[in-house]
Amino acid sequence: MTTVRNHDIATLRQLDMAHHLPAQSSYALQQQLGGSRVITHARGCTITDGEGHSLLDGMAGLWCVNVGYGREELAEVARAQMLELPFYNTFFRTATPPPIELAARLAGLLGGDLQHVFFNNSGSESNDTVFRLVRTYWALKGQPQRTVFISRRNAYHGSTVASASLGGMDFMHVQGGMPIPGVEHVMQPYHFGEGFGEDPESFAARAAAAIEERILAVGPENVAAFIGEPVQGAGGVIIPPPTYWQRVEAICRKYGILLVSDEVICGFGRLGAWFGFQHFGFTPDIVSMAKGLSSGYLPISATGVSREIVETLRASGEEFTHGYTYSGHPVCAAVALRNLDIIEREDLVGRTARDTGPYLAAALAERLAPHPLVGEARSLGLIGAVEIVAEKGTNRRHGKGGQAAPIVRDHCIARGLMVRAVRDAIVMSPPLVISHAEIDQLVDTIKAALDAAQAELA
Ligand code: PLP
């Protein structure tokens, strides 16, 4: 039996039940299953649990381990930085070398007017920074009434009070009295779910028009910003029609509204470009980054900010009274810098665009799209989803919906593949180092799981 830190796995699972509250979990189910699944080690694209099961990690941890597991150089760089300077803060105009270098590096990748970066520890915190920064900006511009954020239903922007409010997950809002005032949610660009049979371009126009209608309803002079994920990840890998984002950008410009791109999942190569806004061809004023920034090796997030916003803060002479003890943590920033080196050195962005992304798309189209349970199999770069339907050729779901995907997911896990179920879809987001053979394994395992689920769903 595997032993970790002096505890065998059976003991760990007992302790997990007795003391540990895992994130986004049902504690009843945790009890029922005898504790959490304990992952003990990982290499490349494979994770191993305490019972010794190896699984292909079709989720890159939580959409984040872009360079794969087991990168010794990331551990070495963390060790060296810990010995040199394990911590110093960035409060009151102080800094350390790694976050300064990382900010400059990110400015180069973001390009254009996005030349400044604010550091946080998580995607949620980055979006909290967005919340305060945007409202501060408008107050300094003499338009303090511009407080309203427009977001989409089924968006995910994090789990803190502000970021979950920006998000459009009803099941999160019911806990804790969210959304907080000043956040408006409009329809999402979910063609399969909400525009089935409609021409994708007219659907894109309709989804974008919903934003404009809400702006007009709220009063353009009251709207501060629009926030969106280029591709909604946690909401079920919602890939908008190609012109959606350009339409959104035009609407934001028309009314002078700030445009925020939440790149927490899409950034750092996931879509085959450094950032999702580059893939879709729009220019945001603010960018939230996390996850792939350090490939999850250490917690760090970054908020990219346009020159205009920074110059407004500068001109005001006021302090931005916001920041976290670990904003710009030197060890996390040093690891992020080396992670970016790896992504560049191995051309993981280009490889996703030209090689593995198209390979995954072809495998989904050839091997999964024809399956009787599959309504749509879609992907962009190395993120994808398989929609499960009750009747081929429709978007009708099994039962009341949400029933089929967990069954298929469990068959995947039993066959050595970690994927997630989001309502009626199986979603995937593997490490960007995934090989063709591993993509074959991923797709073939989902196919076998669908076959196995078919009888149960009949
Ligand atoms: N924004 C997006 C698009 C995300 O997918 C996530 C997490 O999945 C977040 C924000 C929140 O990031 P974190 O979990 O690091 O707080």
Side-chain angles (χ1 to χ4, degrees):
M1 184 161 297
T2 313
T3 301
V4 185
R5 292 214 175 155
N6 306 323
H7 294 295
D8 62 50
I9 288 301
T11 311
L12 274 174
R13 279 167 61 90
Q14 286 295 328
L15 292 173
D16 180 70
M17 278 198 291
H19 304 292
H20 179 218
L21 300 175
Q24 302 273 6
S25 296
S26 151
Y27 302 131
L29 204 54
Q30 177 195 18
Q31 289 273 312
Q32 204 180 306
L33 297 173
S36 304
R37 175 190 296 277
V38 182
I39 305 298
T40 52
H41 51 284
R43 277 284 175 279
C45 296
T46 302
I47 53 176
T48 304
D49 72 14
E51 275 88 27
H53 305 117
S54 286
L55 296 108
L56 176 64
D57 186 6
M59 286 308 300
L62 204 52
W63 327 78
C64 57
V65 188
N66 288 13
V67 299
Y69 298 93
R71 295 283 189 166
E72 280 182 27
E73 63 186 295
L74 295 183
E76 279 157 16
V77 104
R79 180 177 192 277
Q81 183 61 46
M82 277 190 192
L83 293 174
E84 188 163 315
L85 179 68
F87 175 73
Y88 201 77
N89 66 76
T90 61
F91 274 42
F92 315 126
R93 300 170 313 286
T94 310
T96 64
I100 298 173
E101 286 172 31
L102 182 59
R105 185 87 171 264
L106 290 172
L109 294 173
L110 291 164
D113 279 343
L114 293 162
Q115 290 302 304
H116 293 85
V117 175
F118 189 99
F119 289 110
N120 330 265
N121 308 293
S122 66
S124 304
E125 288 180 14
S126 177
N127 289 329
D128 274 43
T129 296
V130 168
F131 200 89
R132 293 197 62 198
L133 183 65
V134 164
R135 287 185 167 179
T136 304
Y137 167 77
W138 285 117
L140 292 174
K141 291 294 271 186
Q143 298 186 55
Q145 82 292 347
R146 274 204 192 251
T147 56
V148 175
F149 286 81
I150 298 186
S151 174
R152 282 93 51 90
R153 286 192 279 277
N154 194 39
Y156 189 75
H157 296 300
S159 196
T160 55
V161 174
S163 63
S165 294
L166 289 172
M169 304 272 176
D170 295 343
F171 62 90
M172 290 180 77
H173 291 163
V174 294
Q175 293 181 336
M178 293 179 284
I180 52 177
V183 185
E184 297 278 329
H185 296 95
V186 300
M187 72 177 281
Q188 55 178 332
Y190 180 23
H191 183 256
F192 184 79
E194 298 179 22
F196 193 77
E198 195 173 336
D199 165 62
E201 278 317 307
S202 62
F203 176 71
R206 181 159 74 86
I211 300 168
E212 185 162 22
E213 282 157 23
R214 190 62 63 90
I215 291 169
L216 293 172
V218 171
E221 70 284 4
N222 298 319
V223 180
F226 173 83
I227 183 167
E229 307 153 73
V231 168
Q232 285 156 258
V237 184
I238 313 295
I239 304 171
T243 63
Y244 171 78
W245 273 107
Q246 283 157 28
R247 294 173 194 271
V248 173
E249 179 177 39
I251 292 166
C252 289
R253 299 299 164 229
K254 183 170 166 190
Y255 297 104
I257 292 163
L258 295 175
L259 176 53
V260 183
S261 189
D262 184 341
E263 302 271 354
V264 167
I265 286 178
C266 296
F268 306 100
R270 177 63 53 200
L271 308 186
W274 274 97
F275 296 104
F277 73 82
Q278 294 162 344
H279 171 83
F280 286 108
F282 66 98
T283 307
D285 301 291
I286 304 181
V287 176
S288 271
M289 301 163 267
K291 296 193 189 271
L293 170 58
S294 65
S295 286
Y297 276 66
L298 283 176
I300 182 168
S301 71
T303 317
V305 185
S306 74
R307 245 187 218 115
E308 153 65 18
I309 296 172
V310 175
E311 269 155 25
T312 301
L313 285 162
R314 280 184 177 156
S316 76
E318 285 191 24
E319 212 168 86
F320 184 38
T321 58
H322 176 72
Y324 310 100
T325 297
Y326 302 127
S327 282
H329 193 291
V331 181
C332 304
V335 166
L337 276 164
R338 184 60 67 90
N339 172 63
L340 297 182
D341 288 345
I342 295 172
I343 295 176
E344 272 177 11
R345 194 170 70 219
E346 300 183 7
D347 188 24
L348 295 180
V349 181
R351 199 170 156 251
T352 302
R354 291 187 296 274
D355 177 10
T356 43
Y359 191 86
L360 173 66
L364 290 176
E366 284 158 25
R367 287 181 252 169
L368 293 189
H371 195 280
L373 286 181
V374 173
E376 181 177 84
R378 57 176 179 266
S379 67
L380 178 59
L382 284 172
I383 191 168
V386 178
E387 297 274 1
I388 300 166
V389 291
E391 191 185 335
K392 190 90 183 154
T394 72
N395 67 355
R396 205 165 59 70
R397 308 300 189 174
H398 290 271
K400 291 197 178 106
Q403 217 171 286
I407 296 172
V408 176
R409 176 208 54 209
D410 290 347
H411 280 297
C412 286
I413 294 173
R415 286 163 175 74
L417 171 68
M418 181 57 80
V419 284
R420 263 175 75 181
V422 178
R423 290 186 314 281
D424 295 283
I426 294 293
V427 299
M428 66 202 80
S429 171
L432 304 186
V433 293
I434 194 168
S435 66
H436 287 195
E438 286 166 328
I439 291 173
D440 289 340
Q441 183 188 340
L442 184 150
V443 170
D444 291 342
T445 306
I446 297 175
K447 183 169 181 305
L450 287 164
D451 289 342
Q454 220 170 341
E456 280 163 72
L457 289 167

